[in-house]
Amino acid sequence: FVPAVAIVLGIVALERFVHDRATLTLLDNVHWTIAYAAAAALAWFGARRAPAGDRAARLWFALGIGAYAVGQVLWDVQVASGWNPFPGPSDAFFLLLGPFCGVGVVQLLRARTTRAVQRTAALDAGGLGVAALALVLALYLPLQGHNTALRMAVLVAYPAGLIFAACVTLVMVPTLRLRRDRGWMLLLAALVAHSALWMEWNARTLAGTLDDGSLFNAGFSFAALALGMGALWWRARTARQPAWERRYEGMLRLLPLLLVLGASAAVLIAFTFPHVPPLARTIIVWTSAAVITISLLRQSILLRDRDRMLEAESLFRTLFASAQDAILLMNATGFLECNASAERMYGVSRDVLCRLGPLDFSPEVQPDGRSSLESAREKIDAALRGESQSFAWLHHRRDGTPFWAEVSLDCVSLPHGRILQAVVRDVTERHEAEATRRQLEERLRHAARLEAVGRLAGGVAHDFNNILTVIMGTTELALMRAKDAPTAKDLGEIRRSAQRAAALTSQLLAFSRKQVIAPVPSDLNALVAGALEMLRRLIGEDVVLTFRPGEGVGTVLVDNTQLEQVLVNLAVNARDAMPGGGGLHISTSVVEVDPAFCRAHEDARPGRFVCLEVRDTGPGIPADIIAHVFEPFYTTKEFGRGTGLGLSTVYGIVRQSDGFIVLDSEPGRGARFRIHFPELAATPSSAPAPAREALRAGREHVLIVEDESIVRDLAQRALADLGYQVRTAGSGAAALEIAADPAQPIDLLLTDVIMPTMSGRELHERMCRERPGLRVVYMSGYTDNIIAPHGVLDPGTFFIQKPFTLGALAAIVREVLDLPDGLPGSPPGRRAA
């Protein structure tokens, strides 16, 4: 570009000193050729580096300028050869500049606009073009003289094509809302300059006043270089409609009116002044009619488009207003518009809402720990970059009520800029349901974990109780024989150790709910009051014990011994938590458990319950420990200070009694255990359990069925020593063979509950077919729900828990044998101590 400008300037300056017409013609042709060749090179380079969307339009510009450069070379050849007809071969290439540039602009309009917009732009450009063409015809045709129609058509075609390209470019700017860009501004100026130069060239040619070597001829070279630079720099970039572009678009909207006024004025002038040639008058009339027709057609299309736009806007307003989700239009700082659902969701009117922003309805910190301000800015910036956002957000209404929302954030491009559309859906119910589902899943996992541990504990206790039964029974037999022997003290120590081991096993069974209990209707207030003296001795003088019995506390179905164990374990747990002293408060009440309470607390169920509350003033339990306090062997005490079975035993006993337990605690505020037992309508049982007489002898026939030989032999020795006629069997099948002998009397069946191939209950049922009314005592380390569903004995069922003492065995055998005939299960069953 720079060398081409320098050469053109040098040639123009040189022409000031040259007076030879042939030399001037040669110099004009040289700078024209150089200028158009440079312009074509610039346009081709611009087309190669253009973005993909603009490349087709830029190629048309390059083709048009290149064709003109080829025409200029042909013109040089024609002049040099002396054969320069008009129109000639070069004119065919000259005429391609305007149409090709116009086609390039049309390509861009087609790629970036809709059909409706293209139609309006075509009418705008057409109106301008017809008006410009009318001007050209009005100027040229009266000067036709002796020129042929072909020559006049070519002369008119030169500026007409360039005017077409200039008009389309002029309309393109507001249609595409282009930014102010030096490229298209230079391109438009060059096309307008070319049009004006060609109109002047033709006028001078027809008038015979065209001179070589003039500054007018140099204008073509400078216009060509400007055209090439415009084609190189041009960028079709959309603007945000600054003020000058709004004025430009407004002016173009007035174009149809201006054209109509101009055409009307031209007709008025043509018929007012007498010296207007008739041909020019005819041209003005017809072109004015065409311009008015085009303008009216454009206005009718705009009116139709406006009606469609109003209809679409009405439909949008209806959908916008009736949407169930809240829809808000906003920028980076606040809300601009909202629908009725948004007003209902946030609890404010539209006028108030549009003065606020999303942070006015958000807490300072979101549940994930991030600042609402920081998180909102991040999501808004991402949406403004065109990245759609979808996220959960904690809002609060104007009255402070929190709610969970699902927010979708999208960027919407408008003529005046970009805004954000936020679609907000209240998902509080779904969020709560999801939280409940996660809580239930966690409870299920926790229950499955406890169940697995309970199953393991029950299995260990079953085998361990058999061993303890032999140890305790053998020790008792040895003590009876040793009496004052030196080994009696050692045997006593063995028996005490075995009893402690049995107590530990009993706690395991209580946790796993495989311990057999005999619940009776009881007055909870009376049971607690009766245990207070024992609890005071247990917790010491440093801990103040208080009891507040509730009014109207009804009857509960519990095993009294087990309830005492619950109180003891909770009291010991509280004492250990308050080594420096404190308060232990026990109270009872009647409560109604609702579904909301059940959702918040594990194992709870709705209904009417009697609540036993045990509360201490200790340091409390941290939240991360609460979830583990009922697990067996879990303890925070020092090594050797606890087994970790106290609270797990409480949990097992309460669950086996068809109740549930709730623990509330915070660090520094103590711990509160609330035990809920179903309320009964029955009257409390006040008759004490009859004491059993130990080691009562008899002569009846007893059949012992036990798969563990050491336990079987021990029971046989103990009962035989008491005078009973004892037979033993190691399995159910062997016992049935003995029972099949009618000559073999059997007064009592003493059987283990869990045996291979046949349970103790099944054995008793089969033996009763041959021996109706056969009395039975079951024994086991745990029941496995065979004789005691959920570990609770049915009335009339007699059971002795392993490990048992010989006195307990003798007592329960004697008790069952002493029942009235024909009523083997009439009295309430009681578990052996």
Side-chain angles (χ1 to χ4, degrees), residues 300-639:
S300 67
I301 291 176
L302 285 179
L303 289 174
R304 187 177 64 184
D305 291 343
R306 188 196 64 178
D307 291 340
R308 290 178 178 174
M309 182 181 66
L310 291 176
E311 183 180 351
E313 182 182 0
S314 177
L315 178 61
F316 163 76
R317 284 288 178 185
T318 302
L319 296 175
F320 181 77
S322 61
Q324 295 299 313
D325 294 334
I327 303 177
L328 303 108
L329 303 180
M330 56 180 289
N331 55 21
T333 57
F335 297 127
L336 306 174
E337 185 60 271
C338 69
N339 63 353
S341 295
E343 295 179 90
R344 291 192 298 270
M345 182 176 293
Y346 291 100
V348 293
S349 65
R350 173 188 172 278
D351 295 336
V352 175
L353 192 62
C354 291
R355 293 197 298 267
L356 302 173
L359 293 176
D360 294 307
F361 300 95
S362 304
E364 291 186 4
V365 180
Q366 288 294 310
D368 60 0
R370 296 191 63 189
S371 164
S372 292
L373 176 62
E374 177 187 351
S375 184
R377 283 180 176 174
E378 178 183 309
K379 296 182 187 305
I380 289 174
D381 292 343
L384 288 173
R385 292 195 300 269
E387 303 171 8
S388 295
Q389 302 291 305
S390 182
F391 52 91
W393 193 264
L394 182 61
H395 286 267
H396 58 73
R397 308 185 205 280
R398 194 60 170 171
D399 60 2
T401 305
F403 70 96
W404 277 98
E406 188 178 77
V407 183
S408 297
L409 208 59
D410 295 284
C411 184
V412 179
S413 295
L414 297 176
H416 58 275
R418 292 179 298 172
I419 63 173
L420 295 178
Q421 173 186 275
V423 180
V424 183
R425 175 173 296 178
D426 189 342
V427 293
T428 303
E429 292 184 2
R430 189 174 73 187
H431 190 272
E432 290 178 352
E434 184 67 20
T436 302
R437 184 186 63 81
R438 290 194 297 267
Q439 186 180 29
L440 290 176
E441 287 179 351
E442 181 60 31
R443 290 181 182 179
L444 182 61
R445 285 193 292 268
H446 182 68
R449 195 161 57 243
L450 293 180
E451 183 65 23
V453 175
R455 220 178 265 122
L456 174 63
V460 170
H462 176 265
D463 294 335
F464 192 50
N465 279 336
N466 283 334
I467 299 172
L468 286 177
T469 300
V470 176
I471 294 174
M472 292 173 64
T474 306
T475 304
E476 286 187 29
L477 290 174
L479 277 171
M480 283 189 286
R481 293 189 179 91
K483 294 185 178 180
D484 297 330
T487 57
K489 183 178 180 181
D490 297 332
L491 291 172
E493 189 62 36
I494 293 173
R495 183 174 62 179
R496 285 189 293 273
S497 298
Q499 288 172 344
R500 286 197 297 270
L504 180 62
T505 310
S506 178
Q507 288 181 313
L508 283 174
L509 288 174
F511 162 74
S512 62
R513 287 175 280 161
K514 296 183 182 295
Q515 189 176 30
V516 178
I517 62 175
V520 294
S522 305
D523 183 341
L524 186 61
N525 285 339
L527 289 177
V528 176
L532 290 179
E533 190 61 33
M534 175 188 63
L535 295 178
R536 286 192 176 92
R537 291 196 302 269
L538 187 66
I539 61 178
E541 297 179 355
D542 293 340
V543 178
V544 178
L545 176 62
T546 61
F547 172 52
R548 183 174 58 83
E551 295 182 2
V553 173
T555 305
V556 294
L557 187 65
V558 294
D559 185 306
N560 298 348
T561 304
Q562 295 282 41
L563 183 63
E564 288 182 358
Q565 188 175 0
V566 168
L567 290 171
V568 167
N569 285 347
L570 292 178
V572 170
N573 184 75
R575 181 200 63 190
D576 293 343
M578 301 180 292
L584 178 62
H585 309 288
I586 303 175
S587 62
T588 59
S589 61
V590 178
V591 296
E592 284 285 349
V593 177
D594 55 19
F597 185 88
C598 297
R599 287 193 296 269
H601 297 90
E602 185 177 351
D603 298 331
R605 64 184 187 277
R608 185 177 175 88
F609 290 84
V610 175
C611 178
L612 170 63
E613 180 179 311
V614 180
R615 178 171 54 88
D616 64 58
T617 60
I621 304 174
D624 58 332
I625 294 178
I626 288 180
H628 304 284
V629 295
F630 295 122
E631 295 179 3
F633 305 112
Y634 181 85
T635 179
T636 57
K637 300 175 183 177
E638 298 177 4
F639 180 76

Side-chain angles (χ1 to χ4, degrees), residues 156-274:
V156 171
Y158 273 119
L162 291 167
I163 288 173
F164 161 70
C167 291
V168 175
T169 305
L170 187 68
V171 171
M172 174 195 68
V173 177
T175 302
L176 297 182
R177 294 184 174 86
L178 298 182
R179 292 186 190 178
R180 186 161 27 188
D181 183 79
R182 59 181 181 177
W184 65 258
M185 294 177 68
L186 191 59
L187 185 69
L188 179 60
L191 289 173
V192 173
H194 263 93
S195 303
L197 287 170
W198 270 110
M199 290 180 66
E200 180 66 19
W201 173 280
N202 292 340
R204 292 186 182 190
T205 299
L206 293 173
T209 59
L210 183 64
D211 293 329
D212 293 326
S214 64
L215 291 176
F216 171 75
N217 289 353
F220 281 96
S221 293
F222 292 119
L225 291 171
L227 191 65
M229 288 304 296
L232 174 67
W233 287 338
W234 178 36
R235 296 288 183 276
R237 293 176 293 183
T238 303
R240 295 186 178 180
Q241 204 176 16
W244 79 274
E245 288 181 346
R246 288 199 299 270
R247 289 194 294 270
Y248 178 49
E249 184 175 3
M251 182 189 68
L252 205 59
R253 290 182 183 275
L254 294 175
L255 180 62
L257 177 62
L258 296 175
L259 289 176
V260 170
L261 292 176
S264 302
V267 171
L268 181 63
I269 292 170
F271 285 92
T272 300
F273 291 93

Side-chain angles (χ1 to χ4, degrees), residues 740-794:
D741 184 4
Q744 176 62 50
I746 301 176
D747 299 309
L748 175 69
L749 173 65
L750 176 63
T751 178
D752 192 11
V753 176
I754 308 299
M755 294 184 296
T757 69
M758 187 183 303
S759 69
R761 188 178 194 118
E762 182 182 357
L763 172 62
H764 178 244
E765 291 174 352
R766 293 180 64 174
M767 290 180 66
C768 282
R769 297 171 190 171
E770 301 295 333
R771 300 172 181 266
L774 178 64
R775 304 179 186 194
V776 62
V777 174
Y778 296 103
M779 58 180 176
S780 181
Y782 71 107
T783 68
D784 201 26
N785 296 336
I786 292 177
I787 66 163
H790 310 292
V792 180
L793 283 176
D794 294 331

Side-chain angles (χ1 to χ4, degrees), residues 15-151:
E15 287 179 337
R16 303 299 95 201
F17 304 99
V18 176
H19 302 287
D20 180 57
R21 186 175 181 82
T23 304
L24 289 174
T25 301
L26 177 63
L27 291 175
D28 279 345
N29 289 338
V30 169
H31 71 70
W32 284 340
T33 303
I34 292 173
Y36 280 101
L42 291 170
W44 277 107
F45 181 71
R48 289 177 60 86
R49 57 178 280 190
D54 296 341
R55 191 165 298 159
R58 304 280 284 274
L59 283 173
W60 281 104
F61 286 120
L63 285 172
I65 300 173
Y68 199 103
V70 172
Q72 185 60 47
V73 173
L74 290 177
W75 171 270
D76 294 340
V77 173
Q78 291 174 194
V79 172
S81 64
W83 179 75
N84 191 19
F86 180 75
S90 60
D91 295 300
F93 290 93
F94 289 153
L95 292 174
L96 295 177
L97 175 61
F100 276 22
C101 290
V103 170
V105 178
V106 171
Q107 285 275 24
L108 189 65
L109 282 168
R110 290 184 59 187
R112 296 197 177 198
T113 58
T114 62
R115 286 185 177 272
V117 175
Q118 294 168 20
R119 187 167 57 244
T120 305
L123 290 173
D124 285 338
L128 279 173
V130 170
L133 182 62
L135 179 62
V136 172
L137 292 175
L139 291 174
Y140 289 172
L141 292 184
L143 302 175
Q144 180 178 356
H146 299 289
N147 291 301
T148 63
L150 177 62
R151 294 189 65 179

